[in-house]
């Protein structure tokens, strides 16, 4: 596992109205095996930042390095999980999807199959290895996507609101599962969400971003012991503090566990 | 309902549609409004068909037609599929070929038959080339659309997992575009099938289902024409259902990329 350094990263968008600054001078240091959540309102550039780290976009200025090596594009040191269920290849079974990165890496078959099955077991889908994605529920598809991103053993896992399209109950299960997977694999995780409770549940540190332009407003350490209890007073206090940083009125009655 | 039950039911439904149309035809044929030579009854047509099947001529005609269709169709797939993919992936190739395809695709293959006869004479060369012309454009056009409609998130995910151009092409773009590629093959086959019959009518001698139909008009043999038409319809039906239907069930339907056909 390797530390990540994000230094003065900026990116502009070309829009019909001219250049718009999407991300401005973002600097974050992330430790090896750390779980970092990035939260912020829509349009704060949190997904853009993740796409830059993934190498899908190149920043206008600034640098990112992983383990001292500068990021210049996509790389197999990073695994990516998207929000969209459609990210899986419909023409491949769960096992086939998880095997994809290993195929690209040149891992030959008895070994490849073994690793892919292990990954599916990690996300509790060992019974569904031969199912095609359209036969799996949204939560299961996202679990396959996580297994797929982990299979070729990247040191960093990048996740872009992977559970945002799931119902609340499934989302809770998935958060628990992800916390277990993280504890077991000790990957460095950068996780984008707009869900404050999710961030408090998962993160070691939460990066709060604000919009127009997207900048880092605060970085908050979550010191709660794991596994975390979302109904404990300390948990709710953390949530309140985080919402304060996001500019929400923490005295309002509308406050709830999943608000953002 | 199980798959088998569903298939049986769909076969019964298809049979009923055919039966209804056949009964309607028979009623008109027997009404006496039209001369029996021009509108033969179904038993007459069936007798002619059986006779032509028994002496092997019909099979031989069908074999000639199939050879020309498959030859031209295969050429069309070999040319049209890569062309469509290249067009969708490289703007320069797209700029060059798209106007060409847009201009050439609407020209009916029939309109080229006399010209091809002047260039290539009567026989297999002309008929195969007409089939090739008819089938290539729908193949290329649909493939082009299919590749453009490949979900970008698949490319992004594959890229993140270290896929190079070669893997991207074979493991993402081709399967991702497969619903359109199969549609392209269907349309190409259909146009090939239409093209071959027309080409055989004018540019073939002695063999082929199109030639049978055209030749039969000299002798007022409407029953022969209708028997040949039945064979053409039958082969087309078998291809649509057995070949393309099976291909679809084994791929895009199994993958959930299209919904199950209810026909």
């Amino acid at each position: 596992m390797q530390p990540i350094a994000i230094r003065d990263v900026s990116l502009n968008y070309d829009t019909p109205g001219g250049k718009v600054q999407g991300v401005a001078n973002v600097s974050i240091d992330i430790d090896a095996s750390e779980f970092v959540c990035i939260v912020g309102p829509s349009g704060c550039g949190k997904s853009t930042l993740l796409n830059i780290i993934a190498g899908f976009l190149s920043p206008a200025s600034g640098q990112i390095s992983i383990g001292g090596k500068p990021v210049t594009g996509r790389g197999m040191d990073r695994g990516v999980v998207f929000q969209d269920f459609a990210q899986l290849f419909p023409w491949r079974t769960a096992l086939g999807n998880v095997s994809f990165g290993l195929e690209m890496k040149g891992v030959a078959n008895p070994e490849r199959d073994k690793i892919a099955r292990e990954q599916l077991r990690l996300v509790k889908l060992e019974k569904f290895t031969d199912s095609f994605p359209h036969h799996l529920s949204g939560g299961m598809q996202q679990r396959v996507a996580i297994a797929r991103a982990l299979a070729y053993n990247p040191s960093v896992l990048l996740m872009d609101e992977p559970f945002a399209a799931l119902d609340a109950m499934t989302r809770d299960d998935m958060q628990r599962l992800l916390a277990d997977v993280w504890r077991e694999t000790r990957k460095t995780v950068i996780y984008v969400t707009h869900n404050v409770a999710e961030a408090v549940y998962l993160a070691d540190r939460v990066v709060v971003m604000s919009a127009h332009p997207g900048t880092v407003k605060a970085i908050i350490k979550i010191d709660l012991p794991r596994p975390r209890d979302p109904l404990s007073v300390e948990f709710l206090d953390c949530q309140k503090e985080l919402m304060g940083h996001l500019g929400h009125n923490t005295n309002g009655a509308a406050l709830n566990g999943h608000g953002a | 309902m199980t798959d088998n039950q569903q298939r049986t039911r769909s076969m019964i439904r298809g049979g009923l549609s055919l039966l209804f149309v056949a009964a309607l035809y028979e009623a008109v044929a027997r009404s006496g409004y039209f001369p029996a030579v021009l509108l033969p009854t179904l038993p007459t047509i069936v007798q002619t068909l059986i006779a032509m099947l028994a002496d092997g001529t019909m099979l031989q005609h069908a074999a000639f037609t199939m050879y020309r269709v498959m030859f031209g169709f295969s050429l069309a797939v070999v040319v049209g599929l890569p062309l469509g993919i290249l067009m969708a992936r490289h703007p320069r190739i797209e700029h060059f070929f798209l106007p060409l395809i847009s201009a050439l695709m609407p020209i009916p293959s029939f309109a080229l038959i006399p010209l091809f006869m002047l260039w290539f004479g009567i026989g297999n060369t002309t008929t195969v080339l007409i089939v090739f012309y008819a089938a290539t454009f729908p193949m290329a056009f649909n493939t082009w659309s299919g590749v453009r409609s490949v979900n970008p998130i698949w490319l992004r995910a594959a890229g993140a997992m270290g896929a190079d151009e070669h893997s991207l092409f074979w493991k993402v773009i081709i399967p991702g575009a497969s619903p359109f590629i199969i549609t392209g093959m269907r349309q190409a086959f259909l146009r090939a099938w239409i093209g071959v019959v027309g080409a055989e009518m004018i540019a073939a001698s002695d063999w082929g289902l199109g030639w049978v139909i055209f030749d039969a008009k000299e002798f007022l043999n409407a029953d022969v024409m209708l028997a040949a038409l039945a064979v053409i319809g039958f082969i087309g039906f078998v291809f649509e259902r057995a070949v393309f239907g099976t291909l679809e069930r084994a791929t895009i339907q199994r993958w959930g990329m299209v919904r199950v056909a209810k026909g």
Side-chain angles (χ1 to χ4, degrees), chain A residues 51 56-57 74-76 78 80 82 84 86-92 97 100-101 103-104 132 134-135 148 152, chain B residues 150-151 153-164 167-168 171-173 175-177 253-257:
Chain A
N51 282 329
F56 299 141
L57 300 170
R74 298 170 301 204
M76 296 191 85
R78 284 149 285 161
V80 189
F82 305 91
D84 195 345
Q87 65 190 295
L88 296 181
F89 305 128
W91 54 90
R92 283 174 170 246
N97 266 284
F100 191 91
E103 278 172 40
M104 298 303 112
F132 284 99
H134 73 115
H135 286 131
R148 183 173 77 168
Y152 53 93
Chain B
V150 167
N151 193 336
I153 202 168
W154 296 333
L155 300 172
R156 197 166 256 213
M161 289 186 281
D164 52 19
S167 308
L168 221 50
K171 299 191 167 176
V172 182
I173 292 169
Q253 201 164 299
R254 184 159 166 254
W255 304 333
M257 293 172 83

Side-chain angles (χ1 to χ4, degrees), chain A residues 210-228:
Chain A
S210 62
H212 314 298
T215 46
V216 175
K217 203 174 164 198
I219 297 181
I220 295 150
K221 205 160 166 53
I222 311 282
D223 260 332
L224 303 174
R226 295 171 188 266
R228 290 173 180 165

